[in-house]
Amino acid sequence: MAAKRYHVTTFGCQMNEHDSERMKGMLDSLGYAEASERSEADLILFNTCSIRESADSRFIAHLGEAKRLKSEDPARVVGVGGCWAQSVKDEVFRRFPFVDVAFGPGQIHRLAEFLTSDSLSAQGYFEFEDFAGHLPMKRAREFQGWIQISQGCNCACSYCIVPSTRGREQSRDPDEVLAEVERLAADGVLEVTLLGQNVNSYGRDLALERRISFSELLARVDAVEGIERLRYTSPHPKDMKEDVVRAHAELRSLCQHIHLPLQSGSSAVLKRMRRTYDRRRYMDRVALIREHVPDCALTTDIIVGFPGETEEDFAETLEVAEEVGYDGAFTFVFSPRRGTEAAEMEGMLPHAVKRERMQRLVEVVQRRATERGQRFVGRTMEVLVEGPSRNDPARLRGRTRHNKTVNFDGTAAPGELVDVEITGATSTTLSGAERLLSRAL
Ligand code: SF4
C-alpha cells in the first residue's frame, strides 16, 4: 500500500521552522511521505504564527484551500499547530469544523498519537508537556540544525501575544541540550542555532543543582567536536550580560553576530512597550559589544508607529539607528494584536503616518548597513556554502560568521566552509569569489 502523504506549511519564526522539521521527522518515522503540493497530500498540516493580525488573515486564506481539498476528499485529515492554534484553542473546531486536529507549540508529539489512534473525531492538545527534542528531525539542510533550549517567555511586552501562546519560560535540561548537539555533530551538522523566545535568560528556572547560565551553555556547546559555528536567537537586551558578550570574543565557534532587538529608540515608547530597558541601557549594551567584539555584526527589530509615538519619539529611533549602524534590521509597522495591552491603547496612528515613518527608517537602516558592509570589502571571509545564489544560479550563496549573505563565484558544494574574497557590499548582501586554495572540510 502506497505511503500516506503529508504537506506542512510553516508560518512565522525559526522556532516554528524547528517545530516543522520535528513534525516532518516524526511523520516520516510513522511511514508517511512528504508531498510537494498540498493538493497531493492525505494529511494537510499548518504550523501557525500569531505575532500579528496580518499573519492570521494570511493563514486563514490557506486554511480555506484546505477546506476545499477536504470537501473534494473527506478522507483527508487537516491539522493546525503552533501559536495561532493555541491562541484560538477554545473555538478552533467551532469556527473551522473541517479541522480534525489542533495542537499547541509544545504538543507536536500528540499529532502522532492522534494519527495512530483509531478514532478520528476532532482532537485538541494545548498544554505544554515537553520539548520536542526527543522527536526525529527532518532538517532542511543536513549541515545546519536548530536546537530548542527554552520554551515560553516571562516578559510582558505590551504588544506581544507570545507569553499567552507559549507560556512561562522553561529551560531545557543542559545535558539534554548537549546530548542533542553531540547527536547532530555526529550526524554531520557543523552549524547549530540555539532557539528560545529569550535565549539569554536560559537556565534561571532550572533546579539549583542543574542550573547553568547561558554563557556556560554556550561554552559547553562550543566544546563539542565537529561544531564549527554556533548561533542563537532571540536574545533580549535586558539579559545581554558581559559574560555573554565576552563569549563572542572567546569561544572558537560562537559567531560574530548578535541580534539585539531595539523596538524603539524612545525611552517613553519603550516604557509603554514594557521592554524593561530604556535608550541609555540599550546603548550601554551596544557599547559593551563594540568594546569586546569590535567587528561584531549587529542586527535588530524595530516597530514603527507604536500607539502614541510622537515625531520626537520617532526621531529618537532614527538617531539610534544612525548611531549604531546596524548590519541589518527587521522593521515592522505597528499593527494591534487582539488580546494584547497595546491593542487597547490610546493614540493609534493613521496608517499613512506609519508608512511615511517606515520609509524614513528604511532609508537610514539601508544607508548605514551599506556603509557598515564596506568593512568586509577586500577581506577574505569564511563562508558556509548553502546552495546556488537566489539571484544568479550560476553563482553560489552562503553565509559569513557575521551572518551576512554572500553571493560568489566558486565551485564548492553546500555544507563546505570556504574562503571567499569579498569584492562588494550592499545593504543586505556581500559579493565575491572563492579563493581556489580554499579550506574544505
Ligand atoms: S520578550 Fe517580549 S516580544 Fe519577545 S516573546 Fe517575550 S513578550 Fe514577546
Side-chain angles (χ1 to χ4, degrees):
M1 193 167 82
K4 284 198 170 175
R5 292 178 297 165
Y6 67 83
H7 183 272
V8 180
T9 309
T10 305
F11 299 87
C13 64
Q14 288 110 327
M15 191 69 94
N16 266 10
E17 285 180 40
H18 161 270
D19 291 351
S20 293
E21 291 189 348
R22 296 278 175 198
M23 244 185 258
K24 292 180 181 181
M26 183 181 72
L27 291 167
D28 285 1
S29 72
L30 290 175
Y32 282 75
E34 185 165 12
S36 51
E37 298 300 324
R38 195 179 288 150
S39 56
E40 299 159 7
D42 306 291
L43 172 60
I44 298 171
L45 292 171
F46 299 95
N47 193 6
T48 61
C49 167
S50 67
I51 204 78
R52 265 171 286 281
E53 295 275 340
S54 53
D56 286 11
S57 30
R58 213 174 33 252
F59 159 63
I60 303 286
H62 283 266
L63 199 52
E65 195 214 353
K67 181 180 181 187
R68 180 180 60 72
L69 290 169
K70 179 142 177 124
S71 65
E72 285 168 13
D73 173 4
R76 277 195 169 110
V77 173
V78 176
V80 181
C83 290
W84 177 85
Q86 185 79 32
S87 69
V88 295
K89 62 182 178 181
D90 304 325
E91 55 191 287
V92 60
F93 297 117
R94 180 179 55 72
R95 285 175 56 193
F96 308 97
F98 58 90
V99 171
D100 300 289
V101 59
F103 47 98
Q107 291 279 341
I108 298 168
H109 57 291
R110 288 300 198 106
L111 178 62
E113 213 178 283
F114 172 79
L115 293 171
T116 50
S117 70
D118 45 23
S119 74
L120 281 183
S121 58
Q123 290 292 336
Y125 310 94
F126 296 109
E127 298 315 310
F128 176 73
E129 278 177 356
D130 192 6
F131 291 95
H134 59 289
L135 293 174
M137 194 172 202
K138 185 173 189 176
R139 293 192 299 277
R141 291 197 197 101
E142 284 308 312
F143 48 90
Q144 285 167 324
W146 309 108
I147 299 192
Q148 185 180 14
I149 66 167
S150 66
Q151 168 83 14
C153 180
N154 291 357
C155 298
C157 302
S158 57
Y159 52 83
C160 183
I161 196 95
V162 169
S164 67
T165 57
R166 289 191 176 253
R168 302 228 5 117
E169 268 162 39
Q170 295 186 49
S171 300
R172 206 168 151 210
D173 183 85
D175 288 352
E176 220 187 277
V177 173
L178 265 296
E180 190 178 344
V181 175
E182 281 150 8
R183 272 201 307 276
L184 289 181
D187 205 20
V189 166
L190 45 92
E191 178 178 280
V192 291
T193 301
L194 307 184
L195 292 177
Q197 249 68 51
N198 248 3
V199 278
N200 50 351
S201 63
Y202 172 84
R204 300 207 186 119
D205 60 302
L206 290 169
L208 216 46
E209 66 282 5
R210 308 291 311 146
R211 191 171 300 172
I212 66 168
S213 68
F214 182 54
S215 60
E216 284 169 292
L217 182 71
L218 291 172
R220 293 189 189 183
V221 175
D222 174 68
V224 174
E225 182 133 358
I227 298 300
E228 294 295 328
R229 289 178 167 199
L230 169 56
R231 301 183 186 280
Y232 58 81
T233 194
S234 192
H236 194 294
K238 73 176 173 60
D239 299 312
M240 189 51 73
K241 301 275 181 342
E242 184 155 349
D243 59 336
V244 176
V245 174
R246 281 178 179 280
H248 282 269
E250 293 157 6
L251 297 181
R252 172 194 57 80
S253 67
L254 187 53
C255 290
Q256 288 73 23
H257 167 234
I258 294 178
H259 184 69
L260 200 67
L262 169 72
Q263 304 303 10
S264 173
S266 152
S267 295
V269 173
L270 288 170
K271 192 152 193 230
R272 292 203 304 281
M273 287 178 166
R274 297 189 185 284
R275 288 292 289 167
T276 70
Y277 55 85
D278 60 12
R279 177 177 171 166
R280 192 183 55 72
R281 169 98 178 132
Y282 182 89
M283 294 309 284
D284 279 357
R285 302 298 88 191
V286 172
L288 186 71
I289 294 167
R290 295 269 190 252
E291 178 198 341
H292 291 285
V293 205
D295 192 38
C296 192
L298 261 178
T299 56
T300 195
D301 300 332
I302 299 175
I303 296 174
V304 171
F306 191 76
E309 182 188 74
T310 63
E311 186 51 38
E312 293 70 32
D313 290 325
F314 180 63
E316 292 198 74
T317 297
L318 293 180
E319 284 165 16
V320 171
E322 191 73 54
E323 193 178 334
V324 174
Y326 292 105
D327 290 270
F330 299 98
T331 53
F332 307 94
V333 164
F334 174 77
S335 71
R337 158 84 261 175
R338 225 169 325 133
T340 64
E341 188 191 345
E344 311 304 325
M345 281 183 184
E346 306 281 310
M348 291 292 171
L349 300 177
H351 194 65
V353 172
K354 293 193 270 188
R355 292 266 20 123
E356 187 276 333
R357 287 181 185 171
M358 175 61 96
Q359 276 161 7
R360 280 190 278 152
L361 175 64
V362 168
E363 185 284 320
V364 173
V365 166
Q366 288 184 345
R367 173 172 46 75
R368 295 294 283 121
T370 306
E371 289 162 1
R372 286 284 289 162
Q374 303 316 309
R375 73 184 189 283
F376 299 115
V377 176
R379 286 165 62 179
T380 298
M381 309 296 294
E382 177 208 78
V383 171
L384 174 57
V385 184
E386 292 182 347
S389 164
R390 292 210 176 96
N391 39 33
D392 176 356
R395 306 186 83 197
L396 294 172
R397 184 189 79 246
R399 216 164 272 275
T400 68
R401 296 175 66 89
H402 297 75
N403 208 30
K404 294 295 282 187
T405 298
V406 186
N407 294 307
F408 64 100
D409 304 311
T411 57
E416 282 189 53
L417 281 169
V418 296
D419 288 339
V420 174
E421 232 160 278
I422 305 301
T423 53
T426 69
S427 61
T428 49
T429 61
L430 304 178
S431 184
E434 182 187 345
R435 287 184 57 183
L436 292 178
L437 295 175
S438 207
R439 86 192 77 199
L441 280 184

